Amino acid sequence: VALDKHTMHVLRQQRERQQERRARRVGAGKVCHDSGYVFTSPDGLPLHPGYLTQRLRLLVNRAGLPPIRLHDLRHGAASLAHSAGADMKTVQHQLGHANIGVTANIYTTVLPPAAHKAAEVTASYLIEASKPGAEVKRQIDRTRDTDDGTAMAKTEPRPEPDIPGAGARRPPKHTPRLRVSRCHTYRSAK
């Protein structure tokens, strides 16, 4: 699991406190297991999941928050990471999902600040695009070649609409037609 420096510092401090408690228990002649877990019961064994669930419920109630399950923290972490700028593939990897669709559709939520930012960016784009000459500027930007400074078209010209009687295009010389017989389906150049 990739963690930030601050979280790593806090976890190292926890590990040091855990080792001090273990040394005191062993010095007092009490049993203390070295389970390898960062958060343990006083005897060093892993915490029971039910204890963690009850502890979270107590903390949520004290904070005056709506009910939150322990698993909801996972969804919240995914949404916060995505809103902070982490790309969806990274969030998928952090959560260990095999399918990015699960991460995108179930685990992440667009938080209000991200939605407002998207609205502002879209509005700015539309306002800029509506200014006189904006289309010409975009065409110029599209034709610039960054390698040698020469102007080269990077996009295909838009096809004109096919309006009858307004210079419509000629049909191609050979239009393949589909012929159907009882046994075969084949193309003919007729």
Side-chain angles (χ1 to χ4, degrees):
V1 175
L3 298 172
D4 61 283
K5 291 178 184 178
H6 176 73
T7 303
M8 289 299 297
H9 178 70
V10 169
L11 290 174
R12 285 188 182 107
Q13 287 178 331
Q14 168 61 19
R15 181 70 174 159
E16 289 171 10
R17 286 191 299 270
Q18 185 183 43
Q19 289 171 342
E20 290 169 7
R21 280 194 300 265
R22 184 174 189 276
R24 283 196 306 269
R25 280 187 65 91
V26 169
K30 295 181 180 179
V31 175
C32 191
H33 304 279
D34 188 10
S35 63
Y37 287 91
V38 177
F39 298 97
T40 62
S41 62
D43 63 357
L45 292 175
L47 295 172
H48 189 277
Y51 169 78
L52 296 173
T53 300
Q54 292 301 320
R55 184 72 181 156
L56 177 66
R57 187 174 295 145
L58 176 71
L59 293 172
V60 165
N61 287 339
R62 284 184 185 170
L65 297 171
I68 301 170
R69 299 172 303 142
L70 194 55
H71 188 76
D72 294 336
L73 298 177
R74 183 173 162 88
H75 290 262
S79 294
L80 289 171
H82 188 251
S83 290
D87 64 279
M88 195 58 69
K89 189 68 178 172
T90 302
V91 176
Q92 174 199 359
H93 180 73
Q94 287 174 336
L95 297 176
H97 292 155
N99 185 333
I100 198 166
V102 171
T103 308
N105 297 330
I106 298 173
Y107 275 80
T108 57
T109 303
V110 176
L111 299 177
H116 289 295
K117 182 179 178 183
E120 290 295 331
V121 169
T122 303
S124 296
Y125 175 78
L126 291 174
I127 291 167
E128 187 63 32
S130 68
K131 290 180 181 175
E135 180 62 28
V136 173
K137 289 178 187 174
R138 275 196 297 279
Q139 290 295 329
I140 291 169
D141 289 343
R142 285 185 194 146
T143 58
R144 288 192 182 136
D145 186 22
T146 57
D147 295 338
D148 60 2
T150 61
M152 296 175 65
K154 292 184 179 180
T155 59
E156 293 290 321
R158 286 190 219 164
E160 292 297 321
D162 198 307
I163 302 169
R169 295 188 188 125
R170 290 185 199 160
K173 288 183 181 180
H174 299 288
T175 306
R177 293 189 314 194
L178 187 64
R179 287 204 167 176
V180 179
S181 71
R182 287 186 177 183
C183 301
H184 302 285
T185 301
Y186 61 94
R187 293 196 177 271
S188 168
K190 291 183 179 179

